[in-house]
């Protein structure tokens, strides 16, 4: 099956839908909290509203910081990103959540697309444990030839449906919607970064491994020329 190529406008629209999906809930909670402050004079309700606003504002900020690196430009073409910054935004996504994140990586600057790949794989791996659990991220090697190993352990762990095909750029339906854009985009970034992604499952643990590709992959410039430029 040939690799699916999305029009640049369609890719941008689907990624924007994903970002909006992630931030609309905490932003809506902030609005609700402000309405309580305006209309309710009960001290306990006002205290609850302030707590809700604070928590929701932190969630929205964390999700936008994550999206800026995982989906956005985060620097000029060819820029590198500090793995410590990637760890910070990744852990921010899981604050107060049912899923915990452990991160082991060298203190180093890695090429932008490789950092974008690890962050997108973190989110893809989250869907492997729908009831929550632990995601363990290990990064070894240098920025030119790294290995990423993500282990997701939790009740009812499974390789998410269609995710392997979507990362390969070969969705069974021949199209991509807002639900499938994250693994599809992760595949685009993997090919731009010349990395191969594999999935395995044993018991209640799913392992996602990304390693340097053994075959020649399109460059970032090639990806841009095909209508899927990565910022």
């Amino acid at each position: 099956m040939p690799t699916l190529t999305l029009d640049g406008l369609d890719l941008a629209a689907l990624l924007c839908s994903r970002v909006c999906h992630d931030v609309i809930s905490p932003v809506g909670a902030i609005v609700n909290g402000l309405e309580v402050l305006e209309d309710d004079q009960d001290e306990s309700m006002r205290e609850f509203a302030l707590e809700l606003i604070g928590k929701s504002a932190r969630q929205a900020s964390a999700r936008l910081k994550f999206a800026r690196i995982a989906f956005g430009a985060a620097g000029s073409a060819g820029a590198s990103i500090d793995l410590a910054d990637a760890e910070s935004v990744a852990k921010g996504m899981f604050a107060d959540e049912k899923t915990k994140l452990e991160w082991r990586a060298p203190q180093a600057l890695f090429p932008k697309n490789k950092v974008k790949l690890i962050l997108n794989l973190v989110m893809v791996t989250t869907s492997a444990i729908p009831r929550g659990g632990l995601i363990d991220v290990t990064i070894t090697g240098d920025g030119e030839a790294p290995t990423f190993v993500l282990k997701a352990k939790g009740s009812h762990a499974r390789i998410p449906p269609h995710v392997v095909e979507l990362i390969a750029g070969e969705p069974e339906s021949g199209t991509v919607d807002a639900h499938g854009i994250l693994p599809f985009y992760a595949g685009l970034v993997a090919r731009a970064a010349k990395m191969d992604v594999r999935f395995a499952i044993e018991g209640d643990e799913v392992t996602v491994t990304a390693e340097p590709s053994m075959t020649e992959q399109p460059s970032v410039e090639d990806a841009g020329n095909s209508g899927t430029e990565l910022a």
Side-chain angles (χ1 to χ4, degrees):
M1 181 183 294
T3 301
L4 175 66
T5 299
L6 278 185
D7 176 84
L9 289 176
D10 290 337
L11 177 62
L14 289 168
L15 286 175
C16 285
S17 293
R18 171 71 197 200
V19 174
C20 290
H21 173 272
D22 286 345
V23 301
I24 196 168
S25 178
V27 170
I30 293 170
V31 173
N32 291 338
L34 290 172
E35 290 176 350
V36 171
L37 289 179
E38 290 176 357
D39 301 334
D40 199 319
Q41 299 305 313
D42 181 80
E43 191 61 33
S44 62
M45 286 299 296
R46 292 176 66 84
E47 183 177 345
F48 169 78
L50 286 171
E51 290 178 358
L52 176 64
I53 291 170
K55 177 181 178 181
S56 300
R58 289 190 294 271
Q59 287 179 340
S61 176
R63 293 176 185 185
L64 287 172
K65 287 177 181 178
F66 181 92
R68 178 176 176 270
I69 297 181
F71 308 135
S76 59
S80 297
I81 298 175
D82 195 325
L83 288 179
D85 292 337
E87 177 184 7
S88 176
V89 299
K91 287 186 172 179
M93 285 289 288
F94 295 98
D96 302 321
E97 294 289 342
K98 60 184 179 180
T99 300
K100 302 300 180 184
L101 180 69
E102 292 187 359
W103 182 283
R104 283 182 282 274
Q107 294 184 344
L109 295 171
F110 267 38
K112 179 174 61 178
N113 278 337
K114 289 185 171 67
V115 176
K116 291 163 76 76
L117 176 59
I118 190 65
L119 291 178
N120 278 274
L121 289 180
V122 167
M123 297 310 297
V124 169
T125 305
T126 303
S127 61
I129 43 175
R131 299 192 179 185
L134 173 68
I135 295 177
D136 185 285
V137 178
T138 302
I139 301 174
T140 56
D142 59 25
E144 294 306 312
T147 296
F148 308 148
V149 179
L150 299 87
K151 294 182 179 292
K153 188 172 184 178
S155 175
H156 293 75
R158 81 283 195 274
I159 297 175
H162 313 300
V163 72
V164 174
E165 294 86 353
L166 284 164
I167 284 185
E170 301 171 355
E172 185 177 351
S173 64
T175 61
V176 180
D177 59 16
H179 295 290
I181 190 58
L182 191 58
F184 181 81
Y185 181 70
L188 288 177
V189 179
R191 288 187 287 280
K194 300 182 180 179
M195 301 276 285
D196 288 334
V197 180
R198 304 190 310 275
F199 287 78
I201 184 168
E202 183 175 350
D204 61 355
E205 183 174 271
V206 174
T207 301
V208 183
T209 305
E211 296 179 309
S213 176
M214 299 301 292
T215 58
E216 186 68 21
Q217 297 284 5
S219 66
V220 176
E221 289 77 12
D222 293 335
N225 292 336
S226 68
T228 54
E229 182 176 358
L230 306 180

